[in-house]
Amino acid sequence: MHRVWLSRQRLLPKQQQLANVSRRTVLTARPLPRAARPLLSVTAPRPTNPGKLAVSLRRSLATVRDTKTGTLKEYERSPFLQWDLFPDYEAVARNVKPEQAVPFFTAFLEDSKQQFLEMEKTFEPTWESTIGRLAPLENKITRAYGLLSHLNGVQNSAELRSTMQQIQPEFVKLSLLLNQSEAKFKALEQLKQSAAWGDLDTVQQRIVDKTVLAMQHAGIGLPAGSKEKERFNAISERLSQLSLTFSNNILDATKAYKKVISDESELVGCSPDFLDALKKNAAAHGEKEGSYCITLDYPIYGPFMMHCANRDLRAEVYRANITKASTGDLDNAPILHEILGLRQEKAQLLGYKTYADLSLVVKMAHDLPTAESLLDNLFDASIGHARRDLDALTQFAVNELGHPAGEPLSPWDTTYASEKYRQSLFKYDEETISHYFAFPKVLQGLFDVAREVLGIDVRELSDDEIRANKITRWHPDVKVFEVAEQGEVKAYFYGDFYSRPAEKRSGAWMDTVTTRTKDASTGHVTLPVAYLICNQPPPKDASTPSLMKFRDVETLFHEFGHCLQHMMTRVDYADASGINGVEWDFVEVASQFMENFCSEKEWLARLSGHYKTGEPMPKDMTDALVKNREFLSGLGMLRQLHFAKVDLALHSTFSAPKTASDPTAFDVDAQVAKTTTLVPRLPEDRFLCSFAHIFGGGYAAGYYSYKYSETFSADAYGAFEEVDGDRAAVRAVGKRYRDTVLALGGGTDPRDVWEQFRGRRDVDIQALLRHGGLTTP
């Protein structure tokens, strides 16, 4: 099928925390210095010999030699290509500057193009002659570009940006060439009509069907040489450039803002630890000693809005956040409008009425009415709860915080009032709770869940093993883990857990290094390797571990769930292995499912312990966290529904403005907010300028997928709730989950996956509402 070479970013919507009703962006990071502390050693149930591991990991380098001379071409010596499971990140990082990377990728892509054109001459209507034959070339391209894209997210620099901007259009061109090949399309269509079709297994048939549809969406049906195809290709290239620019503008705008405070009294309400963080932030930004610096990366912005009692200062910082990337050279407004216009034009060139129709036809929901129906049902179930949430929050603010009676809360009040309200109900503030979530303890607890519920063992490779196997990392804090099942190694993953705002994109995501594939001729299986990227605060000093907010814990579990689906796949074909080929509105099921364990008392006890004394988390704190997902959950649901509804509206009923008097995307946002947002918004709200999910990521006309997936993930966890703590039964359900949701990848229709796991094809939406306390008594 059509490969997605532009990294799919997975950003946890729960980073838009339920209690945080103020409008902030989903992409953030925290500027704190890197820690100098030893790597955590997480041991598996069996010892591993570093020398033996070295033998098991080493593979011959996958290189392509000149067919005439048998020697490597010059570009093939690049570290972007000379690796099997573990890239040499140190060597790659030395080769990302334009003067190095652009010549390499130019030669590499041109040679890949010529290889494809030669293959194209001899395509036959068989699996082996088409999909099977192309797989090694596509995999090589995916791997090389993936390294560059990955470093752009975790080790961003001006040089790397320049490289990306120069070569990304060339990747788009090559992708279009491969997916507009008439010879390939004809061979696949003939294969579907031939007797050989019945010889393919169901996974292969699904891959062929999806490839044909992807080629249709890549413009194969547009006449060769026509103005329509020329325009389609130009749109595709332009959209890739605009998306990259949109994301870069957010990063630059976030880094550009700072509010420096010299008088500590202006920061009343902030804890000593957070004040220390603000001082360190000031030092990192070159401000004078003793000053405090507020920035818009979430690990600073979030706690500030949550704890600072200075209402005027909160309002000032809030306004800066909602207008981020909306002025000057970093203004994303014209970019997002151009993106919307081009997407609509692209959809119409392909015969669809709207871009939403194009986007949804390849998703599980399949059409706009189905997606909108889910959102409407959730809205109807939540709106009453949300109104009661806001009434209770406002009354608390009046009674306890001195908020003027009769005056509605402003958007810069809600986060602050919510945290105070939470403390009044549950006794504990977020920072106190974080003292019980030391990263090493949380990580071990996560791996305990994997082992005891799913039968999956995870351990960290030691420094000796990393050296013995010549594994390099892009940063000293990066950890490498081995994943095994019944004593057999199944996968590996890199963990990059701490924020580095000077170079690392904010948010959290999972991506792929390698994908599980099986060589049909030799039987050799390439193991899957993943990236797990978070942005939690780094350790304060060498003797203090990273202390995680509860949302950081949920984020870690979420991204690990994505990794599990990628790593535990049993599919042998790259196009349907792991997360590949999984419908976009089902791919969040595995990640959201894992979050549920964070709300179980037993697992909270296993995950937690005071970082200094090791004392267990107090029972009332545990009870508070269990109840946390019900806290202001009506408002939290409306917030997510707002994002989803705006996304669908922009891609279905909106037309990009052609004159100054035409409605803008911001008008659509404001119109939807009249229903979904109960706290009055500011007219200057420009949140869309930093809504990277839909303008810089892969969620265009797909943000609803979070809630769509969440209905399945909640129902999936319901299967565990039904066995009511019976350990043997839990393991049995865990095995069934592992053998279906985690194993079948994109090779099986998600409805069939669901039926195999849950025993029915439909999903029970009540499970999601019950978990959020949104059911009617």
Side-chain angles (χ1 to χ4, degrees), residues 4-13 15 26-28 149-150 152-154 243 246-248 250-251 504-512 531 533 535 558-559 562 579 584 587-588 690-700 703 706:
V4 180
W5 290 335
L6 309 184
S7 172
R8 297 200 304 182
Q9 191 179 35
R10 307 195 191 289
L11 299 170
L12 176 63
Q15 287 176 326
V26 296
L27 299 179
T28 48
S149 178
H150 168 68
N152 189 53
V154 298
S243 177
F246 188 94
S247 297
N248 286 339
I250 297 172
L251 181 61
K504 184 179 178 183
R505 190 178 70 218
S506 55
W509 64 95
M510 168 269 171
D511 209 340
T512 64
Y531 299 115
I533 313 296
N535 264 291
H558 179 104
E559 300 307 333
H562 280 309
I579 62 172
W584 197 264
V587 79
E588 293 291 337
S690 53
F691 197 3
H693 275 82
I694 68 172
F695 296 116
Y699 286 87
Y703 196 89
Y706 280 115

Short mmCIF file of all heavy atoms in Angstrom, two decimals, residues 4-13 15 26-28 149-150 152-154 243 246-248 250-251 504-512 531 533 535 558-559 562 579 584 587-588 690-700 703 706:
data_model
loop_
_atom_site.label_atom_id
_atom_site.label_comp_id
_atom_site.label_asym_id
_atom_site.label_seq_id
_atom_site.Cartn_x
_atom_site.Cartn_y
_atom_site.Cartn_z
N VAL A 4 3.50 5.76 4.28
CA VAL A 4 3.54 7.11 4.84
C VAL A 4 4.97 7.38 5.25
O VAL A 4 5.45 6.90 6.27
CB VAL A 4 2.60 7.23 6.06
CG1 VAL A 4 2.65 8.63 6.64
CG2 VAL A 4 1.18 6.89 5.65
N TRP A 5 5.70 8.14 4.44
CA TRP A 5 7.10 8.41 4.74
C TRP A 5 7.26 9.62 5.65
O TRP A 5 8.34 9.85 6.17
CB TRP A 5 7.87 8.62 3.44
CG TRP A 5 8.00 7.37 2.67
CD1 TRP A 5 7.96 6.09 3.15
CD2 TRP A 5 8.17 7.24 1.26
NE1 TRP A 5 8.10 5.18 2.16
CE2 TRP A 5 8.23 5.85 0.97
CE3 TRP A 5 8.28 8.14 0.21
CZ2 TRP A 5 8.42 5.37 -0.32
CZ3 TRP A 5 8.46 7.67 -1.06
CH2 TRP A 5 8.52 6.29 -1.33
N LEU A 6 6.22 10.39 5.79
CA LEU A 6 6.30 11.53 6.71
C LEU A 6 5.79 11.05 8.05
O LEU A 6 4.66 10.61 8.17
CB LEU A 6 5.46 12.70 6.18
CG LEU A 6 5.75 13.07 4.73
CD1 LEU A 6 4.94 14.30 4.35
CD2 LEU A 6 7.22 13.32 4.52
N SER A 7 6.65 11.11 9.03
CA SER A 7 6.40 10.51 10.34
C SER A 7 5.03 10.86 10.89
O SER A 7 4.65 12.01 10.93
CB SER A 7 7.47 10.97 11.32
OG SER A 7 7.16 10.55 12.62
N ARG A 8 4.31 9.84 11.33
CA ARG A 8 3.01 10.06 11.96
C ARG A 8 3.24 10.37 13.42
O ARG A 8 3.74 9.56 14.17
CB ARG A 8 2.14 8.81 11.82
CG ARG A 8 1.83 8.47 10.40
CD ARG A 8 0.63 7.58 10.30
NE ARG A 8 0.76 6.37 11.09
CZ ARG A 8 -0.17 5.43 11.11
NH1 ARG A 8 -1.25 5.57 10.41
NH2 ARG A 8 0.00 4.34 11.84
N GLN A 9 2.82 11.54 13.83
CA GLN A 9 3.04 11.99 15.19
C GLN A 9 1.87 11.58 16.05
O GLN A 9 0.73 11.81 15.71
CB GLN A 9 3.17 13.51 15.17
CG GLN A 9 3.66 14.12 16.44
CD GLN A 9 3.76 15.60 16.27
OE1 GLN A 9 2.95 16.20 15.58
NE2 GLN A 9 4.73 16.20 16.89
N ARG A 10 2.17 10.97 17.19
CA ARG A 10 1.09 10.53 18.07
C ARG A 10 1.15 11.35 19.34
O ARG A 10 1.94 11.09 20.22
CB ARG A 10 1.26 9.05 18.39
CG ARG A 10 1.40 8.26 17.13
CD ARG A 10 1.21 6.80 17.37
NE ARG A 10 1.61 6.05 16.22
CZ ARG A 10 0.92 6.03 15.10
NH1 ARG A 10 -0.19 6.68 14.99
NH2 ARG A 10 1.35 5.35 14.07
N LEU A 11 0.28 12.29 19.43
CA LEU A 11 0.27 13.20 20.58
C LEU A 11 -0.96 12.93 21.42
O LEU A 11 -2.08 12.94 20.94
CB LEU A 11 0.30 14.65 20.11
CG LEU A 11 1.54 14.97 19.30
CD1 LEU A 11 1.38 16.33 18.67
CD2 LEU A 11 2.77 14.94 20.18
N LEU A 12 -0.71 12.67 22.64
CA LEU A 12 -1.77 12.24 23.54
C LEU A 12 -2.78 13.34 23.82
O LEU A 12 -2.44 14.38 24.33
CB LEU A 12 -1.13 11.80 24.86
CG LEU A 12 -2.03 11.40 26.00
CD1 LEU A 12 -2.84 10.19 25.58
CD2 LEU A 12 -1.21 11.08 27.22
N PRO A 13 -4.07 13.13 23.45
CA PRO A 13 -5.04 14.18 23.71
C PRO A 13 -5.24 14.44 25.19
O PRO A 13 -5.68 15.50 25.56
CB PRO A 13 -6.32 13.65 23.07
CG PRO A 13 -6.17 12.18 23.03
CD PRO A 13 -4.69 11.95 22.85
N GLN A 15 -3.06 15.13 27.07
CA GLN A 15 -2.19 16.24 27.45
C GLN A 15 -3.01 17.52 27.49
O GLN A 15 -2.59 18.51 28.07
CB GLN A 15 -1.05 16.39 26.44
CG GLN A 15 -0.02 15.29 26.59
CD GLN A 15 1.03 15.39 25.54
OE1 GLN A 15 0.75 15.79 24.42
NE2 GLN A 15 2.23 15.04 25.88
N VAL A 26 -1.28 21.66 22.19
CA VAL A 26 -0.95 20.30 22.56
C VAL A 26 0.53 20.01 22.36
O VAL A 26 0.97 18.93 22.69
CB VAL A 26 -1.78 19.29 21.72
CG1 VAL A 26 -3.24 19.45 22.03
CG2 VAL A 26 -1.52 19.48 20.23
N LEU A 27 1.28 20.92 21.80
CA LEU A 27 2.70 20.69 21.56
C LEU A 27 3.52 21.59 22.46
O LEU A 27 3.58 22.79 22.26
CB LEU A 27 3.03 21.01 20.09
CG LEU A 27 2.30 20.16 19.06
CD1 LEU A 27 2.69 20.58 17.67
CD2 LEU A 27 2.60 18.69 19.26
N THR A 28 4.17 20.99 23.46
CA THR A 28 4.91 21.79 24.41
C THR A 28 6.11 21.03 24.94
O THR A 28 6.23 19.84 24.77
CB THR A 28 4.02 22.16 25.61
OG1 THR A 28 3.36 20.98 26.07
CG2 THR A 28 2.97 23.18 25.25
N SER A 149 13.79 12.35 9.67
CA SER A 149 12.58 12.87 10.28
C SER A 149 12.64 12.75 11.80
O SER A 149 12.24 13.65 12.53
CB SER A 149 11.36 12.13 9.74
OG SER A 149 10.17 12.58 10.34
N HIS A 150 13.15 11.63 12.27
CA HIS A 150 13.27 11.42 13.71
C HIS A 150 14.19 12.46 14.35
O HIS A 150 13.83 13.09 15.35
CB HIS A 150 13.80 10.02 13.99
CG HIS A 150 14.21 9.81 15.42
ND1 HIS A 150 13.31 9.80 16.45
CD2 HIS A 150 15.43 9.64 15.98
CE1 HIS A 150 13.95 9.61 17.59
NE2 HIS A 150 15.24 9.53 17.34
N ASN A 152 14.94 15.31 13.27
CA ASN A 152 14.31 16.63 13.17
C ASN A 152 13.40 16.89 14.37
O ASN A 152 13.20 18.02 14.77
CB ASN A 152 13.51 16.73 11.87
CG ASN A 152 13.02 18.14 11.59
OD1 ASN A 152 13.79 19.10 11.60
ND2 ASN A 152 11.73 18.27 11.36
N GLY A 153 12.85 15.81 14.95
CA GLY A 153 11.96 15.96 16.10
C GLY A 153 12.68 16.00 17.43
O GLY A 153 12.22 16.64 18.37
N VAL A 154 13.82 15.30 17.52
CA VAL A 154 14.48 15.18 18.83
C VAL A 154 15.80 15.92 18.92
O VAL A 154 16.36 16.07 20.01
CB VAL A 154 14.71 13.69 19.19
CG1 VAL A 154 13.39 12.95 19.30
CG2 VAL A 154 15.64 13.02 18.19
N SER A 243 3.01 22.00 5.61
CA SER A 243 2.92 21.28 6.88
C SER A 243 4.20 21.42 7.69
O SER A 243 4.16 21.65 8.91
CB SER A 243 2.62 19.80 6.62
OG SER A 243 2.57 19.06 7.81
N PHE A 246 4.41 25.01 8.98
CA PHE A 246 3.46 25.19 10.08
C PHE A 246 4.05 24.70 11.39
O PHE A 246 4.01 25.41 12.41
CB PHE A 246 2.17 24.44 9.75
CG PHE A 246 1.04 24.71 10.70
CD1 PHE A 246 0.10 25.69 10.43
CD2 PHE A 246 0.90 23.97 11.88
CE1 PHE A 246 -0.94 25.95 11.31
CE2 PHE A 246 -0.14 24.22 12.76
CZ PHE A 246 -1.07 25.21 12.47
N SER A 247 4.61 23.50 11.40
CA SER A 247 5.19 22.94 12.62
C SER A 247 6.39 23.73 13.09
O SER A 247 6.57 23.97 14.29
CB SER A 247 5.58 21.48 12.38
OG SER A 247 4.44 20.69 12.08
N ASN A 248 7.24 24.14 12.15
CA ASN A 248 8.42 24.93 12.52
C ASN A 248 8.03 26.27 13.12
O ASN A 248 8.66 26.76 14.07
CB ASN A 248 9.32 25.15 11.30
CG ASN A 248 10.10 23.90 10.91
OD1 ASN A 248 10.27 22.99 11.73
ND2 ASN A 248 10.55 23.85 9.68
N ILE A 250 5.37 26.93 14.87
CA ILE A 250 4.93 26.70 16.25
C ILE A 250 6.13 26.58 17.18
O ILE A 250 6.18 27.19 18.26
CB ILE A 250 4.06 25.44 16.36
CG1 ILE A 250 2.77 25.59 15.54
CG2 ILE A 250 3.71 25.14 17.82
CD1 ILE A 250 1.98 24.31 15.44
N LEU A 251 7.10 25.80 16.75
CA LEU A 251 8.29 25.62 17.57
C LEU A 251 9.00 26.95 17.80
O LEU A 251 9.39 27.29 18.92
CB LEU A 251 9.23 24.62 16.89
CG LEU A 251 10.53 24.28 17.62
CD1 LEU A 251 10.25 23.65 18.98
CD2 LEU A 251 11.38 23.33 16.77
N LYS A 504 14.28 19.68 21.04
CA LYS A 504 13.34 18.57 20.94
C LYS A 504 11.91 19.09 20.84
O LYS A 504 11.50 19.93 21.64
CB LYS A 504 13.49 17.66 22.16
CG LYS A 504 12.62 16.41 22.15
CD LYS A 504 12.90 15.60 23.43
CE LYS A 504 12.05 14.36 23.52
NZ LYS A 504 12.29 13.63 24.80
N ARG A 505 11.18 18.57 19.86
CA ARG A 505 9.79 18.95 19.72
C ARG A 505 9.02 18.55 20.97
O ARG A 505 9.29 17.51 21.58
CB ARG A 505 9.20 18.21 18.51
CG ARG A 505 7.83 18.67 18.09
CD ARG A 505 7.37 17.89 16.86
NE ARG A 505 7.08 16.51 17.19
CZ ARG A 505 7.35 15.48 16.39
NH1 ARG A 505 7.97 15.67 15.25
NH2 ARG A 505 7.04 14.26 16.75
N SER A 506 8.06 19.35 21.36
CA SER A 506 7.29 19.04 22.55
C SER A 506 6.20 18.03 22.25
O SER A 506 5.94 17.69 21.11
CB SER A 506 6.70 20.33 23.13
OG SER A 506 5.94 21.00 22.14
N GLY A 507 5.55 17.54 23.31
CA GLY A 507 4.52 16.53 23.13
C GLY A 507 5.08 15.14 23.38
O GLY A 507 6.15 14.97 23.97
N ALA A 508 4.37 14.14 22.97
CA ALA A 508 4.80 12.75 23.13
C ALA A 508 4.35 11.98 21.90
O ALA A 508 3.28 12.24 21.36
CB ALA A 508 4.20 12.15 24.39
N TRP A 509 5.17 11.04 21.46
CA TRP A 509 4.80 10.28 20.28
C TRP A 509 5.56 8.97 20.23
O TRP A 509 6.54 8.75 20.94
CB TRP A 509 5.04 11.08 19.01
CG TRP A 509 6.47 11.44 18.71
CD1 TRP A 509 7.35 10.75 17.91
CD2 TRP A 509 7.20 12.58 19.18
NE1 TRP A 509 8.56 11.40 17.86
CE2 TRP A 509 8.49 12.53 18.62
CE3 TRP A 509 6.87 13.66 20.00
CZ2 TRP A 509 9.47 13.51 18.88
CZ3 TRP A 509 7.83 14.62 20.27
CH2 TRP A 509 9.11 14.54 19.70
N MET A 510 5.09 8.09 19.38
CA MET A 510 5.76 6.84 19.06
C MET A 510 5.99 6.82 17.57
O MET A 510 5.18 7.33 16.79
CB MET A 510 4.88 5.66 19.49
CG MET A 510 5.32 4.31 18.97
SD MET A 510 4.53 3.91 17.39
CE MET A 510 5.47 2.44 16.94
N ASP A 511 7.12 6.27 17.16
CA ASP A 511 7.39 6.11 15.73
C ASP A 511 8.20 4.84 15.54
O ASP A 511 8.59 4.18 16.51
CB ASP A 511 8.11 7.33 15.17
CG ASP A 511 7.81 7.55 13.69
OD1 ASP A 511 7.38 6.59 13.03
OD2 ASP A 511 7.99 8.68 13.20
N THR A 512 8.45 4.49 14.29
CA THR A 512 9.10 3.22 13.99
C THR A 512 10.52 3.42 13.48
O THR A 512 10.80 4.34 12.72
CB THR A 512 8.31 2.43 12.93
OG1 THR A 512 8.30 3.16 11.70
CG2 THR A 512 6.87 2.23 13.39
N TYR A 531 10.53 3.87 18.49
CA TYR A 531 10.88 5.02 19.32
C TYR A 531 9.72 5.29 20.28
O TYR A 531 8.56 5.27 19.87
CB TYR A 531 11.04 6.30 18.47
CG TYR A 531 12.10 6.28 17.41
CD1 TYR A 531 11.74 6.38 16.06
CD2 TYR A 531 13.45 6.24 17.73
CE1 TYR A 531 12.70 6.42 15.06
CE2 TYR A 531 14.42 6.28 16.74
CZ TYR A 531 14.04 6.37 15.41
OH TYR A 531 14.99 6.42 14.41
N ILE A 533 8.85 8.43 22.65
CA ILE A 533 9.33 9.78 22.94
C ILE A 533 8.34 10.48 23.88
O ILE A 533 7.15 10.55 23.61
CB ILE A 533 9.47 10.62 21.66
CG1 ILE A 533 10.21 9.83 20.58
CG2 ILE A 533 10.17 11.94 21.96
CD1 ILE A 533 11.63 9.47 20.91
N ASN A 535 8.15 13.93 27.04
CA ASN A 535 8.73 15.22 27.40
C ASN A 535 8.48 15.54 28.86
O ASN A 535 8.09 16.65 29.21
CB ASN A 535 8.16 16.33 26.50
CG ASN A 535 9.06 16.64 25.32
OD1 ASN A 535 10.15 17.18 25.49
ND2 ASN A 535 8.63 16.26 24.13
N HIS A 558 0.37 5.46 27.58
CA HIS A 558 -0.26 5.63 26.26
C HIS A 558 0.72 5.31 25.14
O HIS A 558 0.43 4.48 24.26
CB HIS A 558 -0.75 7.08 26.15
CG HIS A 558 -1.41 7.41 24.84
ND1 HIS A 558 -2.77 7.53 24.70
CD2 HIS A 558 -0.89 7.67 23.61
CE1 HIS A 558 -3.07 7.82 23.45
NE2 HIS A 558 -1.94 7.93 22.77
N GLU A 559 1.88 5.94 25.17
CA GLU A 559 2.84 5.74 24.09
C GLU A 559 3.40 4.32 24.09
O GLU A 559 3.69 3.76 23.03
CB GLU A 559 3.97 6.77 24.17
CG GLU A 559 3.52 8.22 24.07
CD GLU A 559 2.66 8.51 22.85
OE1 GLU A 559 2.80 7.82 21.83
OE2 GLU A 559 1.83 9.43 22.91
N HIS A 562 1.15 2.14 22.09
CA HIS A 562 1.45 2.20 20.65
C HIS A 562 2.64 1.30 20.32
O HIS A 562 2.62 0.56 19.33
CB HIS A 562 1.79 3.62 20.24
CG HIS A 562 0.61 4.52 20.04
ND1 HIS A 562 -0.46 4.17 19.24
CD2 HIS A 562 0.34 5.77 20.49
CE1 HIS A 562 -1.34 5.16 19.23
NE2 HIS A 562 -0.88 6.14 19.98
N ILE A 579 1.76 -1.19 13.46
CA ILE A 579 0.80 -0.10 13.29
C ILE A 579 0.50 0.19 11.83
O ILE A 579 -0.44 0.92 11.51
CB ILE A 579 1.30 1.19 13.97
CG1 ILE A 579 2.61 1.65 13.35
CG2 ILE A 579 1.43 0.99 15.47
CD1 ILE A 579 3.08 3.00 13.84
N TRP A 584 -6.95 4.62 10.91
CA TRP A 584 -6.53 5.72 11.76
C TRP A 584 -7.40 5.87 13.01
O TRP A 584 -6.92 6.26 14.07
CB TRP A 584 -6.55 7.02 10.94
CG TRP A 584 -5.77 8.12 11.56
CD1 TRP A 584 -6.23 9.13 12.36
CD2 TRP A 584 -4.36 8.34 11.44
NE1 TRP A 584 -5.21 9.96 12.73
CE2 TRP A 584 -4.04 9.49 12.18
CE3 TRP A 584 -3.34 7.67 10.77
CZ2 TRP A 584 -2.75 10.00 12.28
CZ3 TRP A 584 -2.05 8.18 10.87
CH2 TRP A 584 -1.76 9.32 11.61
N VAL A 587 -6.29 3.00 15.52
CA VAL A 587 -4.89 2.86 15.90
C VAL A 587 -4.62 3.38 17.31
O VAL A 587 -3.62 3.03 17.93
CB VAL A 587 -3.98 3.58 14.87
CG1 VAL A 587 -3.95 5.08 15.10
CG2 VAL A 587 -2.57 2.99 14.90
N GLU A 588 -5.53 4.22 17.85
CA GLU A 588 -5.34 4.72 19.21
C GLU A 588 -5.88 3.76 20.28
O GLU A 588 -5.70 4.00 21.47
CB GLU A 588 -6.02 6.09 19.37
CG GLU A 588 -5.41 7.21 18.57
CD GLU A 588 -4.04 7.63 19.07
OE1 GLU A 588 -3.73 7.38 20.26
OE2 GLU A 588 -3.27 8.20 18.28
N SER A 690 -1.85 26.99 16.13
CA SER A 690 -0.92 26.02 16.72
C SER A 690 -1.56 24.64 16.86
O SER A 690 -1.10 23.80 17.63
CB SER A 690 -0.43 26.52 18.09
OG SER A 690 -1.50 26.84 18.94
N PHE A 691 -2.61 24.39 16.06
CA PHE A 691 -3.29 23.10 16.09
C PHE A 691 -2.56 22.15 15.13
O PHE A 691 -3.01 21.83 14.04
CB PHE A 691 -4.75 23.27 15.68
CG PHE A 691 -5.65 22.11 16.04
CD1 PHE A 691 -5.17 21.02 16.74
CD2 PHE A 691 -6.99 22.12 15.68
CE1 PHE A 691 -6.00 19.96 17.08
CE2 PHE A 691 -7.83 21.07 16.00
CZ PHE A 691 -7.33 19.99 16.70
N ALA A 692 -1.40 21.69 15.59
CA ALA A 692 -0.51 20.91 14.71
C ALA A 692 -1.09 19.54 14.37
O ALA A 692 -0.69 18.95 13.38
CB ALA A 692 0.86 20.76 15.37
N HIS A 693 -1.97 19.01 15.19
CA HIS A 693 -2.57 17.72 14.87
C HIS A 693 -3.13 17.72 13.44
O HIS A 693 -2.91 16.76 12.69
CB HIS A 693 -3.73 17.43 15.82
CG HIS A 693 -3.32 16.79 17.10
ND1 HIS A 693 -2.85 17.51 18.16
CD2 HIS A 693 -3.33 15.50 17.50
CE1 HIS A 693 -2.59 16.69 19.16
NE2 HIS A 693 -2.87 15.46 18.79
N ILE A 694 -3.87 18.76 13.08
CA ILE A 694 -4.57 18.72 11.79
C ILE A 694 -3.85 19.50 10.70
O ILE A 694 -4.13 19.29 9.52
CB ILE A 694 -6.03 19.20 11.92
CG1 ILE A 694 -6.11 20.70 12.26
CG2 ILE A 694 -6.77 18.38 12.96
CD1 ILE A 694 -7.54 21.25 12.19
N PHE A 695 -2.92 20.39 11.06
CA PHE A 695 -2.22 21.16 10.05
C PHE A 695 -0.73 20.79 9.93
O PHE A 695 -0.10 21.12 8.92
CB PHE A 695 -2.34 22.66 10.33
CG PHE A 695 -3.74 23.17 10.25
CD1 PHE A 695 -4.39 23.69 11.37
CD2 PHE A 695 -4.44 23.12 9.05
CE1 PHE A 695 -5.69 24.15 11.30
CE2 PHE A 695 -5.76 23.57 8.97
CZ PHE A 695 -6.37 24.10 10.10
N GLY A 696 -0.20 20.11 10.93
CA GLY A 696 1.19 19.70 10.86
C GLY A 696 1.38 18.22 11.08
O GLY A 696 2.49 17.71 11.00
N GLY A 697 0.28 17.51 11.35
CA GLY A 697 0.35 16.07 11.60
C GLY A 697 -0.60 15.32 10.70
O GLY A 697 -0.96 15.78 9.63
N GLY A 698 -1.04 14.16 11.16
CA GLY A 698 -1.85 13.29 10.30
C GLY A 698 -3.31 13.22 10.66
O GLY A 698 -3.99 12.27 10.25
N TYR A 699 -3.83 14.18 11.43
CA TYR A 699 -5.19 14.07 11.94
C TYR A 699 -6.21 14.93 11.20
O TYR A 699 -7.28 15.20 11.72
CB TYR A 699 -5.21 14.41 13.43
CG TYR A 699 -4.64 13.30 14.28
CD1 TYR A 699 -3.28 13.23 14.54
CD2 TYR A 699 -5.45 12.30 14.80
CE1 TYR A 699 -2.74 12.20 15.31
CE2 TYR A 699 -4.94 11.27 15.56
CZ TYR A 699 -3.58 11.23 15.82
OH TYR A 699 -3.06 10.21 16.57
N ALA A 700 -5.89 15.39 10.00
CA ALA A 700 -6.84 16.19 9.24
C ALA A 700 -8.11 15.39 8.98
O ALA A 700 -8.05 14.27 8.46
CB ALA A 700 -6.21 16.63 7.92
N TYR A 703 -9.40 14.04 13.74
CA TYR A 703 -9.22 14.22 15.18
C TYR A 703 -10.30 13.49 15.97
O TYR A 703 -10.07 13.08 17.11
CB TYR A 703 -9.23 15.72 15.54
CG TYR A 703 -8.68 15.98 16.93
CD1 TYR A 703 -7.32 16.21 17.13
CD2 TYR A 703 -9.51 15.98 18.04
CE1 TYR A 703 -6.82 16.42 18.41
CE2 TYR A 703 -9.02 16.18 19.31
CZ TYR A 703 -7.68 16.41 19.50
OH TYR A 703 -7.17 16.59 20.76
N TYR A 706 -9.64 10.09 18.11
CA TYR A 706 -9.32 9.89 19.52
C TYR A 706 -10.54 9.38 20.28
O TYR A 706 -10.46 8.42 21.05
CB TYR A 706 -8.81 11.20 20.14
CG TYR A 706 -7.37 11.48 19.84
CD1 TYR A 706 -7.00 12.59 19.08
CD2 TYR A 706 -6.36 10.64 20.32
CE1 TYR A 706 -5.67 12.85 18.81
CE2 TYR A 706 -5.03 10.91 20.05
CZ TYR A 706 -4.69 12.02 19.30
OH TYR A 706 -3.37 12.27 19.03
#
